[in-house]
Amino acid sequence: MHSETKGPVATEIEARLTAALSPARLAVINDSAKHRGHTGDDGSGESHFTVEIESAAFAGQNRVQRQRMVNQALGDMMRDTVHAMAIKARAPGE
């Protein structure tokens, strides 16, 4: 059964990115079910994510700089909680 309910990790990712980058659009997609039993799957059901974010903060920044901004906003979560994250970051109008 697929649930649209966000878990605590996805909720925290959303809160941190919203606070740091004031996105015009933000989607936090839990991909953990696709990785069940693989390396990095801690059994929590919240270890692998895709983040799609649009923010004016990304204007003039290249892809690597944008990913660093997202990682910085998430801080210790990237080290302690999240095993893998795909980041799709764009500025408005891109």
Side-chain angles (χ1 to χ4, degrees):
M1 176 181 248
H2 180 69
S3 173
E4 293 300 319
T5 304
K6 281 190 173 53
V9 175
T11 300
E12 181 68 13
I13 290 170
E14 200 169 84
R16 289 188 186 197
L17 291 176
T18 298
L21 299 169
S22 302
R25 183 179 165 288
L26 175 61
V28 178
I29 302 149
N30 186 342
D31 296 325
S32 301
K34 297 178 190 173
H35 301 277
R36 191 169 292 126
H38 297 171
T39 301
D41 175 23
D42 62 4
S44 70
E46 288 193 283
S47 57
H48 296 70
F49 293 90
T50 296
V51 168
E52 297 175 1
I53 182 170
E54 179 182 311
S55 173
F58 297 137
Q61 305 295 316
N62 67 33
R63 183 182 59 84
V64 173
Q65 290 168 321
R66 292 173 183 191
Q67 289 182 348
R68 285 182 182 147
M69 291 168 73
V70 169
N71 288 337
Q72 184 175 11
L74 297 176
D76 61 334
M77 291 187 79
M78 294 304 293
R79 181 187 67 238
D80 300 338
T81 312
V82 176
H83 175 69
M85 181 174 292
I87 300 169
K88 298 175 184 176
R90 50 186 71 83
E94 291 183 344

